Amino acid sequence: MKILKKILLSLLIAASMGAVSTSVLAETDKGRITYAPADAIDLVTGKIKAALDAIANGTEGDALADLIKEASDASKEINANDKVDIARSKANNVLKSARKLAQEAKVKEAEEALKDAAKKFEALKSLI
């Protein structure tokens, strides 16, 4: 009887561990688009290039800051590993400073910060 209790308890524990595994149940929310890390990096660099093109066309102020904010928001989609996340955070800080410069109407400095951010985001691909 003792052996039977041990066997049943072991089976119960094994079944409960398999049934409640969170990694098995993990999935994305409905309506949310998930990107591969390289695709997310391309998305962010595309938005940075759009902001750089807007500077070339004479956009400045809050309109430029909104474009930079879109790139900053898109950078949250880059999910690979801890090294990539740390480098993404540093590159995102450059985007934040570019946004602040754009709001202060310092377009030339914002352009340089955007170019630096683009280089940093492109460098993330080597960390994947």
Side-chain angles (χ1 to χ4, degrees):
M1 189 68 181
K2 284 186 175 184
I3 295 175
L4 182 61
K5 285 183 182 179
K6 288 181 181 179
I7 292 173
L8 288 175
L9 182 61
S10 298
L11 288 174
L12 179 68
I13 290 171
S16 67
M17 286 175 61
V20 189
S21 175
T22 57
S23 62
V24 171
L25 300 175
E27 59 183 59
T28 60
D29 297 331
K30 291 182 180 177
R32 183 173 187 276
I33 299 171
T34 56
Y35 298 97
D39 295 338
I41 292 169
D42 290 337
L43 176 71
V44 173
T45 55
K47 290 189 181 278
I48 292 172
K49 288 178 183 171
L52 287 170
D53 291 342
I55 289 173
N57 293 333
T59 305
E60 53 185 51
D62 288 336
L64 180 59
D66 290 341
L67 290 172
I68 297 170
K69 174 79 168 124
E70 287 179 19
S72 180
D73 290 344
S75 75
K76 296 174 186 171
E77 296 294 328
I78 301 171
N79 295 317
N81 58 37
D82 290 341
K83 284 183 181 180
V84 173
D85 191 49
I86 292 168
R88 181 205 60 83
S89 177
K90 290 178 182 178
N92 202 27
N93 288 339
V94 176
L95 277 179
K96 287 179 184 179
S97 68
R99 182 172 181 234
K100 192 173 189 177
L101 290 168
Q103 288 173 337
E104 295 170 357
K106 297 179 180 176
V107 179
K108 214 48 161 161
E109 292 89 349
E111 182 178 12
E112 292 302 318
L114 283 172
K115 288 178 182 178
D116 185 36
K119 288 177 189 173
K120 289 185 182 219
F121 276 105
E122 284 294 331
L124 290 179
K125 287 184 180 182
S126 66
L127 296 176
I128 296 176

